[in-house]
Amino acid sequence: MGVSKGVFSILYLNLFFFNPSSSSLILSSKELSEIPINFLKFAKKSEVFDWMVGVRRRLHENPELGYEEFETSKLIREELDKMGISYKYPVAVTGVIGSIGSGKPPFVAIRADMDALPLQEKVEWDHKSKNPGKMHACGHDAHVAMLLGAAKILQENRELIKGTVLLVFQPAEEGGGGAKKMIDAGALENVEAIFGLHVASHVPLAEVETRSGPLLAGSGFFESVISGKGGHAAIPQHSIDPILAASNVIVSLQHLVSREADPLDSQVVTVAKFQGGGAFNVIPDSVTIGGTFRAFSKESLIQLKQRIEEVT
């Protein structure tokens, strides 16, 4: 927490405390300390709070998958237009980058992802997804609403900003490589730091969690088709059973974390997909398994990828 707090303090001072053309202070310590208090008061106004809730519900009702977030982008642009915030669009197909401040250094970015998941929402409530097979099940609707809320607060206090805050609305976080496409498109050019939050159901309302070092893991996914020789279940000796082979692969994959990874280096390998066969008495020709792997360091992620291939 010390590292995160320290970095935030430095950027906070840069954005609100110093004049970029000189080293003179333009706000007193008392005035500076009142800024977050005033921000919070503004955010708690009923018209601001209710507006944010409304934005989130509109997004939840209309989820879109990666690189298909056209209506989501449209909603974001409409809200930025209402606030008088300039932006670039499209960036990486559907991405939006807003800008508040002087247009000069220091540049600090705040990021939210926009895409939904290919899931059917089964909970019945007033704002259930209207798009069959698509759902904001990972909280990206909340993330977009949060960033628009931050935009409203910053725009309301734009005269205090002595640098530039970029509002990065990123597409395709769910396996589509949207972050890389945004970076390749220049989204983080000259940016000294970028902040992003993620909602978490286990965190009590009105609390925020952080820590020093990595907080969320990098992830990859894998899929393997294991081929054998199909046949009748009553005469397995005439078949090469891919289900048995796949089962051994799955058990072996669990050893990558339990017996090969450093216990102090958190890693996860999860097989979440097993498809094969269509009858209880027929050994299939092949089965498909798939899943994800996660780690906090690039080195561990590369090692897991290599070992998953070798084990399979």
Side-chain angles (χ1 to χ4, degrees), residues 83-130:
M83 290 184 256
I85 296 174
S86 60
Y87 55 83
K88 295 179 182 178
Y89 173 83
V91 183
V93 186
T94 55
V96 182
I97 302 178
S99 178
I100 304 174
S102 66
K104 299 177 181 179
F107 288 88
V108 174
I110 313 175
R111 169 264 190 190
D113 36 18
M114 307 186 297
D115 56 326
L117 285 164
L119 296 173
Q120 180 63 42
E121 183 167 12
K122 296 183 178 180
V123 177
E124 296 297 333
W125 68 304
D126 292 342
H127 304 285
K128 179 181 177 179
S129 169
K130 297 177 181 178

mmCIF file of all heavy atoms in Angstrom, residues 83-130:
data_model
loop_
_atom_site.group_PDB
_atom_site.id
_atom_site.type_symbol
_atom_site.label_atom_id
_atom_site.label_comp_id
_atom_site.label_asym_id
_atom_site.label_seq_id
_atom_site.Cartn_x
_atom_site.Cartn_y
_atom_site.Cartn_z
ATOM 1 N N MET A 83 -20.698 16.869 -21.060
ATOM 2 C CA MET A 83 -19.778 17.468 -20.085
ATOM 3 C C MET A 83 -18.813 18.454 -20.729
ATOM 4 O O MET A 83 -18.058 19.115 -20.032
ATOM 5 C CB MET A 83 -18.998 16.372 -19.363
ATOM 6 C CG MET A 83 -19.821 15.530 -18.417
ATOM 7 S SD MET A 83 -18.773 14.339 -17.538
ATOM 8 C CE MET A 83 -19.150 12.821 -18.384
ATOM 9 N N GLY A 84 -18.812 18.508 -22.054
ATOM 10 C CA GLY A 84 -17.890 19.402 -22.741
ATOM 11 C C GLY A 84 -16.457 18.896 -22.741
ATOM 12 O O GLY A 84 -15.508 19.683 -22.782
ATOM 13 N N ILE A 85 -16.291 17.576 -22.728
ATOM 14 C CA ILE A 85 -14.950 16.962 -22.704
ATOM 15 C C ILE A 85 -14.602 16.495 -24.119
ATOM 16 O O ILE A 85 -15.365 15.775 -24.755
ATOM 17 C CB ILE A 85 -14.916 15.772 -21.729
ATOM 18 C CG1 ILE A 85 -15.169 16.258 -20.299
ATOM 19 C CG2 ILE A 85 -13.579 15.025 -21.824
ATOM 20 C CD1 ILE A 85 -15.302 15.126 -19.288
ATOM 21 N N SER A 86 -13.438 16.899 -24.599
ATOM 22 C CA SER A 86 -12.990 16.482 -25.923
ATOM 23 C C SER A 86 -12.476 15.048 -25.867
ATOM 24 O O SER A 86 -12.032 14.570 -24.819
ATOM 25 C CB SER A 86 -11.891 17.411 -26.441
ATOM 26 O OG SER A 86 -10.772 17.394 -25.570
ATOM 27 N N TYR A 87 -12.494 14.372 -27.009
ATOM 28 C CA TYR A 87 -12.067 12.967 -27.039
ATOM 29 C C TYR A 87 -11.664 12.562 -28.444
ATOM 30 O O TYR A 87 -11.971 13.238 -29.434
ATOM 31 C CB TYR A 87 -13.190 12.057 -26.542
ATOM 32 C CG TYR A 87 -14.496 12.211 -27.278
ATOM 33 C CD1 TYR A 87 -14.739 11.561 -28.500
ATOM 34 C CD2 TYR A 87 -15.506 13.027 -26.769
ATOM 35 C CE1 TYR A 87 -15.929 11.710 -29.179
ATOM 36 C CE2 TYR A 87 -16.707 13.187 -27.442
ATOM 37 C CZ TYR A 87 -16.920 12.525 -28.642
ATOM 38 O OH TYR A 87 -18.100 12.675 -29.315
ATOM 39 N N LYS A 88 -10.945 11.414 -28.504
ATOM 40 C CA LYS A 88 -10.585 10.788 -29.762
ATOM 41 C C LYS A 88 -11.421 9.519 -29.925
ATOM 42 O O LYS A 88 -11.564 8.741 -28.986
ATOM 43 C CB LYS A 88 -9.097 10.417 -29.778
ATOM 44 C CG LYS A 88 -8.135 11.591 -29.725
ATOM 45 C CD LYS A 88 -6.697 11.083 -29.718
ATOM 46 C CE LYS A 88 -5.700 12.224 -29.608
ATOM 47 N NZ LYS A 88 -4.299 11.717 -29.547
ATOM 48 N N TYR A 89 -11.922 9.322 -31.147
ATOM 49 C CA TYR A 89 -12.693 8.120 -31.453
ATOM 50 C C TYR A 89 -12.710 7.937 -32.963
ATOM 51 O O TYR A 89 -12.827 8.912 -33.692
ATOM 52 C CB TYR A 89 -14.130 8.239 -30.931
ATOM 53 C CG TYR A 89 -15.013 7.086 -31.373
ATOM 54 C CD1 TYR A 89 -15.006 5.891 -30.664
ATOM 55 C CD2 TYR A 89 -15.805 7.185 -32.525
ATOM 56 C CE1 TYR A 89 -15.799 4.820 -31.086
ATOM 57 C CE2 TYR A 89 -16.585 6.120 -32.944
ATOM 58 C CZ TYR A 89 -16.581 4.945 -32.224
ATOM 59 O OH TYR A 89 -17.344 3.887 -32.631
ATOM 60 N N PRO A 90 -12.588 6.708 -33.462
ATOM 61 C CA PRO A 90 -12.341 5.462 -32.722
ATOM 62 C C PRO A 90 -10.856 5.227 -32.486
ATOM 63 O O PRO A 90 -10.025 5.631 -33.290
ATOM 64 C CB PRO A 90 -12.915 4.411 -33.654
ATOM 65 C CG PRO A 90 -12.674 4.978 -35.036
ATOM 66 C CD PRO A 90 -12.824 6.465 -34.902
ATOM 67 N N VAL A 91 -10.555 4.564 -31.400
ATOM 68 C CA VAL A 91 -9.198 4.111 -31.100
ATOM 69 C C VAL A 91 -9.285 2.603 -30.868
ATOM 70 O O VAL A 91 -10.061 2.159 -30.026
ATOM 71 C CB VAL A 91 -8.631 4.810 -29.845
ATOM 72 C CG1 VAL A 91 -7.193 4.377 -29.605
ATOM 73 C CG2 VAL A 91 -8.724 6.327 -29.967
ATOM 74 N N ALA A 92 -8.522 1.819 -31.610
ATOM 75 C CA ALA A 92 -8.599 0.354 -31.494
ATOM 76 C C ALA A 92 -10.034 -0.129 -31.682
ATOM 77 O O ALA A 92 -10.602 -0.810 -30.822
ATOM 78 C CB ALA A 92 -8.021 -0.116 -30.158
ATOM 79 N N VAL A 93 -10.628 0.275 -32.772
ATOM 80 C CA VAL A 93 -11.971 -0.129 -33.225
ATOM 81 C C VAL A 93 -13.081 0.632 -32.507
ATOM 82 O O VAL A 93 -13.819 1.390 -33.131
ATOM 83 C CB VAL A 93 -12.214 -1.652 -33.106
ATOM 84 C CG1 VAL A 93 -13.559 -2.039 -33.733
ATOM 85 C CG2 VAL A 93 -11.086 -2.438 -33.761
ATOM 86 N N THR A 94 -13.233 0.424 -31.202
ATOM 87 C CA THR A 94 -14.351 1.055 -30.489
ATOM 88 C C THR A 94 -13.899 1.898 -29.303
ATOM 89 O O THR A 94 -14.740 2.468 -28.608
ATOM 90 C CB THR A 94 -15.328 -0.015 -29.972
ATOM 91 O OG1 THR A 94 -14.610 -0.958 -29.167
ATOM 92 C CG2 THR A 94 -16.000 -0.751 -31.119
ATOM 93 N N GLY A 95 -12.603 1.979 -29.036
ATOM 94 C CA GLY A 95 -12.102 2.691 -27.870
ATOM 95 C C GLY A 95 -12.292 4.200 -27.964
ATOM 96 O O GLY A 95 -12.396 4.777 -29.049
ATOM 97 N N VAL A 96 -12.315 4.830 -26.798
ATOM 98 C CA VAL A 96 -12.475 6.280 -26.685
ATOM 99 C C VAL A 96 -11.411 6.801 -25.723
ATOM 100 O O VAL A 96 -11.166 6.189 -24.680
ATOM 101 C CB VAL A 96 -13.874 6.659 -26.146
ATOM 102 C CG1 VAL A 96 -14.029 8.176 -26.075
ATOM 103 C CG2 VAL A 96 -14.969 6.057 -27.016
ATOM 104 N N ILE A 97 -10.780 7.932 -26.065
ATOM 105 C CA ILE A 97 -9.815 8.563 -25.160
ATOM 106 C C ILE A 97 -10.221 10.017 -24.966
ATOM 107 O O ILE A 97 -10.136 10.838 -25.896
ATOM 108 C CB ILE A 97 -8.375 8.492 -25.705
ATOM 109 C CG1 ILE A 97 -7.955 7.050 -25.937
ATOM 110 C CG2 ILE A 97 -7.410 9.181 -24.734
ATOM 111 C CD1 ILE A 97 -6.555 6.900 -26.520
ATOM 112 N N GLY A 98 -10.695 10.332 -23.765
ATOM 113 C CA GLY A 98 -11.047 11.701 -23.430
ATOM 114 C C GLY A 98 -9.867 12.432 -22.831
ATOM 115 O O GLY A 98 -8.876 11.826 -22.419
ATOM 116 N N SER A 99 -9.966 13.767 -22.756
ATOM 117 C CA SER A 99 -8.860 14.579 -22.238
ATOM 118 C C SER A 99 -9.412 15.753 -21.442
ATOM 119 O O SER A 99 -10.290 16.479 -21.914
ATOM 120 C CB SER A 99 -7.998 15.090 -23.395
ATOM 121 O OG SER A 99 -6.953 15.917 -22.923
ATOM 122 N N ILE A 100 -8.886 15.920 -20.227
ATOM 123 C CA ILE A 100 -9.269 17.034 -19.362
ATOM 124 C C ILE A 100 -7.994 17.699 -18.859
ATOM 125 O O ILE A 100 -7.075 17.018 -18.411
ATOM 126 C CB ILE A 100 -10.096 16.553 -18.150
ATOM 127 C CG1 ILE A 100 -11.332 15.778 -18.609
ATOM 128 C CG2 ILE A 100 -10.515 17.734 -17.272
ATOM 129 C CD1 ILE A 100 -12.123 15.155 -17.473
ATOM 130 N N GLY A 101 -7.938 19.014 -18.910
ATOM 131 C CA GLY A 101 -6.777 19.719 -18.389
ATOM 132 C C GLY A 101 -6.145 20.627 -19.415
ATOM 133 O O GLY A 101 -6.777 21.061 -20.387
ATOM 134 N N SER A 102 -4.865 20.874 -19.224
ATOM 135 C CA SER A 102 -4.140 21.855 -20.027
ATOM 136 C C SER A 102 -3.679 21.328 -21.378
ATOM 137 O O SER A 102 -3.318 22.099 -22.255
ATOM 138 C CB SER A 102 -2.916 22.341 -19.239
ATOM 139 O OG SER A 102 -1.990 21.279 -19.063
ATOM 140 N N GLY A 103 -3.667 19.996 -21.535
ATOM 141 C CA GLY A 103 -3.104 19.421 -22.744
ATOM 142 C C GLY A 103 -1.594 19.328 -22.695
ATOM 143 O O GLY A 103 -0.949 18.935 -23.665
ATOM 144 N N LYS A 104 -1.025 19.681 -21.545
ATOM 145 C CA LYS A 104 0.427 19.671 -21.364
ATOM 146 C C LYS A 104 0.802 18.706 -20.237
ATOM 147 O O LYS A 104 -0.065 18.281 -19.475
ATOM 148 C CB LYS A 104 0.921 21.088 -21.036
ATOM 149 C CG LYS A 104 0.623 22.110 -22.140
ATOM 150 C CD LYS A 104 1.070 23.498 -21.722
ATOM 151 C CE LYS A 104 0.756 24.516 -22.805
ATOM 152 N NZ LYS A 104 1.173 25.884 -22.405
ATOM 153 N N PRO A 105 2.096 18.363 -20.113
ATOM 154 C CA PRO A 105 2.533 17.458 -19.041
ATOM 155 C C PRO A 105 2.260 18.057 -17.671
ATOM 156 O O PRO A 105 2.153 19.279 -17.540
ATOM 157 C CB PRO A 105 4.035 17.301 -19.306
ATOM 158 C CG PRO A 105 4.225 17.706 -20.729
ATOM 159 C CD PRO A 105 3.203 18.766 -20.994
ATOM 160 N N PRO A 106 2.196 17.194 -16.631
ATOM 161 C CA PRO A 106 2.281 15.728 -16.708
ATOM 162 C C PRO A 106 0.978 15.110 -17.194
ATOM 163 O O PRO A 106 -0.103 15.625 -16.932
ATOM 164 C CB PRO A 106 2.575 15.331 -15.261
ATOM 165 C CG PRO A 106 1.915 16.396 -14.449
ATOM 166 C CD PRO A 106 2.097 17.673 -15.234
ATOM 167 N N PHE A 107 1.087 13.962 -17.893
ATOM 168 C CA PHE A 107 -0.076 13.231 -18.379
ATOM 169 C C PHE A 107 -0.316 12.023 -17.470
ATOM 170 O O PHE A 107 0.575 11.208 -17.256
ATOM 171 C CB PHE A 107 0.158 12.748 -19.814
ATOM 172 C CG PHE A 107 0.131 13.845 -20.836
ATOM 173 C CD1 PHE A 107 1.290 14.540 -21.146
ATOM 174 C CD2 PHE A 107 -1.046 14.188 -21.478
ATOM 175 C CE1 PHE A 107 1.285 15.552 -22.100
ATOM 176 C CE2 PHE A 107 -1.073 15.206 -22.426
ATOM 177 C CZ PHE A 107 0.097 15.890 -22.737
ATOM 178 N N VAL A 108 -1.518 11.946 -16.942
ATOM 179 C CA VAL A 108 -1.929 10.813 -16.113
ATOM 180 C C VAL A 108 -3.210 10.241 -16.710
ATOM 181 O O VAL A 108 -4.093 11.000 -17.121
ATOM 182 C CB VAL A 108 -2.169 11.247 -14.654
ATOM 183 C CG1 VAL A 108 -2.726 10.093 -13.832
ATOM 184 C CG2 VAL A 108 -0.871 11.759 -14.032
ATOM 185 N N ALA A 109 -3.315 8.933 -16.799
ATOM 186 C CA ALA A 109 -4.485 8.303 -17.416
ATOM 187 C C ALA A 109 -5.291 7.527 -16.383
ATOM 188 O O ALA A 109 -4.752 7.016 -15.397
ATOM 189 C CB ALA A 109 -4.047 7.369 -18.540
ATOM 190 N N ILE A 110 -6.605 7.473 -16.620
ATOM 191 C CA ILE A 110 -7.506 6.623 -15.848
ATOM 192 C C ILE A 110 -8.198 5.715 -16.856
ATOM 193 O O ILE A 110 -8.665 6.176 -17.888
ATOM 194 C CB ILE A 110 -8.552 7.431 -15.065
ATOM 195 C CG1 ILE A 110 -7.912 8.600 -14.330
ATOM 196 C CG2 ILE A 110 -9.289 6.533 -14.082
ATOM 197 C CD1 ILE A 110 -8.908 9.500 -13.629
ATOM 198 N N ARG A 111 -8.267 4.435 -16.564
ATOM 199 C CA ARG A 111 -8.711 3.465 -17.567
ATOM 200 C C ARG A 111 -9.897 2.646 -17.076
ATOM 201 O O ARG A 111 -9.990 2.275 -15.911
ATOM 202 C CB ARG A 111 -7.534 2.549 -17.923
ATOM 203 C CG ARG A 111 -7.874 1.321 -18.752
ATOM 204 C CD ARG A 111 -8.061 0.114 -17.863
ATOM 205 N NE ARG A 111 -8.158 -1.139 -18.614
ATOM 206 C CZ ARG A 111 -8.500 -2.287 -18.084
ATOM 207 N NH1 ARG A 111 -8.775 -2.358 -16.794
ATOM 208 N NH2 ARG A 111 -8.570 -3.378 -18.818
ATOM 209 N N ALA A 112 -10.815 2.356 -18.006
ATOM 210 C CA ALA A 112 -11.925 1.438 -17.751
ATOM 211 C C ALA A 112 -12.119 0.553 -18.975
ATOM 212 O O ALA A 112 -11.972 1.010 -20.110
ATOM 213 C CB ALA A 112 -13.207 2.206 -17.453
ATOM 214 N N ASP A 113 -12.439 -0.708 -18.763
ATOM 215 C CA ASP A 113 -12.753 -1.616 -19.868
ATOM 216 C C ASP A 113 -14.258 -1.607 -20.108
ATOM 217 O O ASP A 113 -15.044 -1.307 -19.218
ATOM 218 C CB ASP A 113 -12.242 -3.027 -19.592
ATOM 219 C CG ASP A 113 -12.348 -3.426 -18.128
ATOM 220 O OD1 ASP A 113 -13.111 -2.769 -17.384
ATOM 221 O OD2 ASP A 113 -11.679 -4.378 -17.715
ATOM 222 N N MET A 114 -14.663 -1.955 -21.353
ATOM 223 C CA MET A 114 -16.051 -1.734 -21.759
ATOM 224 C C MET A 114 -16.823 -2.997 -22.119
ATOM 225 O O MET A 114 -18.050 -2.968 -22.182
ATOM 226 C CB MET A 114 -16.096 -0.821 -22.990
ATOM 227 C CG MET A 114 -15.354 0.498 -22.862
ATOM 228 S SD MET A 114 -15.646 1.554 -24.318
ATOM 229 C CE MET A 114 -14.915 0.551 -25.643
ATOM 230 N N ASP A 115 -16.123 -4.105 -22.393
ATOM 231 C CA ASP A 115 -16.789 -5.259 -22.992
ATOM 232 C C ASP A 115 -17.462 -6.162 -21.975
ATOM 233 O O ASP A 115 -17.105 -6.200 -20.801
ATOM 234 C CB ASP A 115 -15.804 -6.067 -23.844
ATOM 235 C CG ASP A 115 -14.568 -6.506 -23.065
ATOM 236 O OD1 ASP A 115 -14.115 -5.753 -22.178
ATOM 237 O OD2 ASP A 115 -14.042 -7.598 -23.330
ATOM 238 N N ALA A 116 -18.436 -6.913 -22.463
ATOM 239 C CA ALA A 116 -19.174 -7.874 -21.641
ATOM 240 C C ALA A 116 -18.691 -9.291 -21.940
ATOM 241 O O ALA A 116 -17.759 -9.496 -22.714
ATOM 242 C CB ALA A 116 -20.667 -7.747 -21.915
ATOM 243 N N LEU A 117 -19.342 -10.264 -21.322
ATOM 244 C CA LEU A 117 -18.998 -11.674 -21.505
ATOM 245 C C LEU A 117 -20.102 -12.410 -22.256
ATOM 246 O O LEU A 117 -21.275 -12.030 -22.181
ATOM 247 C CB LEU A 117 -18.784 -12.336 -20.141
ATOM 248 C CG LEU A 117 -17.473 -12.008 -19.421
ATOM 249 C CD1 LEU A 117 -17.565 -12.393 -17.960
ATOM 250 C CD2 LEU A 117 -16.307 -12.718 -20.084
ATOM 251 N N PRO A 118 -19.747 -13.495 -22.962
ATOM 252 C CA PRO A 118 -20.752 -14.278 -23.683
ATOM 253 C C PRO A 118 -21.504 -15.221 -22.739
ATOM 254 O O PRO A 118 -21.380 -16.445 -22.810
ATOM 255 C CB PRO A 118 -19.923 -15.048 -24.717
ATOM 256 C CG PRO A 118 -18.588 -15.216 -24.069
ATOM 257 C CD PRO A 118 -18.375 -13.961 -23.259
ATOM 258 N N LEU A 119 -22.287 -14.654 -21.855
ATOM 259 C CA LEU A 119 -23.048 -15.419 -20.861
ATOM 260 C C LEU A 119 -24.506 -14.979 -20.894
ATOM 261 O O LEU A 119 -24.809 -13.812 -21.173
ATOM 262 C CB LEU A 119 -22.481 -15.191 -19.454
ATOM 263 C CG LEU A 119 -21.050 -15.657 -19.175
ATOM 264 C CD1 LEU A 119 -20.623 -15.183 -17.790
ATOM 265 C CD2 LEU A 119 -20.946 -17.164 -19.274
ATOM 266 N N GLN A 120 -25.382 -15.889 -20.563
ATOM 267 C CA GLN A 120 -26.801 -15.564 -20.480
ATOM 268 C C GLN A 120 -27.133 -15.138 -19.057
ATOM 269 O O GLN A 120 -26.896 -15.885 -18.108
ATOM 270 C CB GLN A 120 -27.652 -16.774 -20.861
ATOM 271 C CG GLN A 120 -29.149 -16.537 -20.797
ATOM 272 C CD GLN A 120 -29.617 -15.476 -21.774
ATOM 273 O OE1 GLN A 120 -29.177 -15.438 -22.918
ATOM 274 N NE2 GLN A 120 -30.494 -14.599 -21.320
ATOM 275 N N GLU A 121 -27.670 -13.947 -18.890
ATOM 276 C CA GLU A 121 -28.052 -13.488 -17.557
ATOM 277 C C GLU A 121 -29.356 -14.166 -17.139
ATOM 278 O O GLU A 121 -30.365 -14.097 -17.858
ATOM 279 C CB GLU A 121 -28.220 -11.967 -17.527
ATOM 280 C CG GLU A 121 -28.547 -11.449 -16.147
ATOM 281 C CD GLU A 121 -28.402 -9.943 -16.014
ATOM 282 O OE1 GLU A 121 -28.273 -9.257 -17.045
ATOM 283 O OE2 GLU A 121 -28.407 -9.450 -14.871
ATOM 284 N N LYS A 122 -29.327 -14.818 -15.992
ATOM 285 C CA LYS A 122 -30.489 -15.577 -15.529
ATOM 286 C C LYS A 122 -31.203 -14.925 -14.356
ATOM 287 O O LYS A 122 -32.293 -15.352 -13.984
ATOM 288 C CB LYS A 122 -30.056 -17.003 -15.156
ATOM 289 C CG LYS A 122 -29.538 -17.806 -16.352
ATOM 290 C CD LYS A 122 -29.193 -19.231 -15.963
ATOM 291 C CE LYS A 122 -28.727 -20.029 -17.176
ATOM 292 N NZ LYS A 122 -28.384 -21.423 -16.818
ATOM 293 N N VAL A 123 -30.592 -13.914 -13.767
ATOM 294 C CA VAL A 123 -31.234 -13.219 -12.653
ATOM 295 C C VAL A 123 -32.302 -12.290 -13.206
ATOM 296 O O VAL A 123 -32.043 -11.502 -14.119
ATOM 297 C CB VAL A 123 -30.208 -12.413 -11.835
ATOM 298 C CG1 VAL A 123 -30.898 -11.626 -10.724
ATOM 299 C CG2 VAL A 123 -29.160 -13.341 -11.244
ATOM 300 N N GLU A 124 -33.488 -12.384 -12.656
ATOM 301 C CA GLU A 124 -34.593 -11.534 -13.116
ATOM 302 C C GLU A 124 -34.622 -10.244 -12.288
ATOM 303 O O GLU A 124 -34.834 -10.273 -11.084
ATOM 304 C CB GLU A 124 -35.931 -12.286 -12.982
ATOM 305 C CG GLU A 124 -36.036 -13.524 -13.854
ATOM 306 C CD GLU A 124 -35.974 -13.199 -15.342
ATOM 307 O OE1 GLU A 124 -36.355 -12.073 -15.733
ATOM 308 O OE2 GLU A 124 -35.527 -14.073 -16.109
ATOM 309 N N TRP A 125 -34.392 -9.119 -12.943
ATOM 310 C CA TRP A 125 -34.501 -7.819 -12.286
ATOM 311 C C TRP A 125 -34.785 -6.771 -13.357
ATOM 312 O O TRP A 125 -34.778 -7.058 -14.553
ATOM 313 C CB TRP A 125 -33.246 -7.498 -11.459
ATOM 314 C CG TRP A 125 -31.973 -7.256 -12.240
ATOM 315 C CD1 TRP A 125 -31.393 -8.086 -13.129
ATOM 316 C CD2 TRP A 125 -31.148 -6.087 -12.174
ATOM 317 N NE1 TRP A 125 -30.231 -7.532 -13.621
ATOM 318 C CE2 TRP A 125 -30.059 -6.306 -13.059
ATOM 319 C CE3 TRP A 125 -31.192 -4.901 -11.453
ATOM 320 C CZ2 TRP A 125 -29.049 -5.363 -13.235
ATOM 321 C CZ3 TRP A 125 -30.188 -3.966 -11.623
ATOM 322 C CH2 TRP A 125 -29.127 -4.201 -12.503
ATOM 323 N N ASP A 126 -35.052 -5.567 -12.947
ATOM 324 C CA ASP A 126 -35.530 -4.531 -13.858
ATOM 325 C C ASP A 126 -34.532 -4.191 -14.958
ATOM 326 O O ASP A 126 -34.926 -3.705 -16.021
ATOM 327 C CB ASP A 126 -35.875 -3.256 -13.085
ATOM 328 C CG ASP A 126 -37.089 -3.432 -12.186
ATOM 329 O OD1 ASP A 126 -37.850 -4.398 -12.425
ATOM 330 O OD2 ASP A 126 -37.268 -2.625 -11.269
ATOM 331 N N HIS A 127 -33.249 -4.409 -14.706
ATOM 332 C CA HIS A 127 -32.227 -3.976 -15.664
ATOM 333 C C HIS A 127 -31.424 -5.152 -16.220
ATOM 334 O O HIS A 127 -30.247 -5.029 -16.528
ATOM 335 C CB HIS A 127 -31.308 -2.942 -15.003
ATOM 336 C CG HIS A 127 -32.062 -1.771 -14.445
ATOM 337 N ND1 HIS A 127 -32.578 -0.783 -15.255
ATOM 338 C CD2 HIS A 127 -32.425 -1.465 -13.176
ATOM 339 C CE1 HIS A 127 -33.216 0.102 -14.497
ATOM 340 N NE2 HIS A 127 -33.140 -0.288 -13.241
ATOM 341 N N LYS A 128 -32.091 -6.276 -16.356
ATOM 342 C CA LYS A 128 -31.475 -7.473 -16.929
ATOM 343 C C LYS A 128 -31.034 -7.217 -18.372
ATOM 344 O O LYS A 128 -31.631 -6.410 -19.093
ATOM 345 C CB LYS A 128 -32.495 -8.620 -16.890
ATOM 346 C CG LYS A 128 -32.000 -9.934 -17.471
ATOM 347 C CD LYS A 128 -33.084 -10.999 -17.401
ATOM 348 C CE LYS A 128 -32.617 -12.294 -18.044
ATOM 349 N NZ LYS A 128 -33.648 -13.362 -17.957
ATOM 350 N N SER A 129 -29.980 -7.914 -18.788
ATOM 351 C CA SER A 129 -29.470 -7.782 -20.154
ATOM 352 C C SER A 129 -30.573 -8.012 -21.185
ATOM 353 O O SER A 129 -31.335 -8.968 -21.114
ATOM 354 C CB SER A 129 -28.344 -8.796 -20.388
ATOM 355 O OG SER A 129 -28.004 -8.853 -21.761
ATOM 356 N N LYS A 130 -30.605 -7.117 -22.165
ATOM 357 C CA LYS A 130 -31.573 -7.232 -23.255
ATOM 358 C C LYS A 130 -30.972 -7.946 -24.466
ATOM 359 O O LYS A 130 -31.676 -8.173 -25.455
ATOM 360 C CB LYS A 130 -32.061 -5.841 -23.666
ATOM 361 C CG LYS A 130 -32.808 -5.094 -22.570
ATOM 362 C CD LYS A 130 -33.192 -3.691 -23.026
ATOM 363 C CE LYS A 130 -33.914 -2.928 -21.925
ATOM 364 N NZ LYS A 130 -34.240 -1.538 -22.359
#
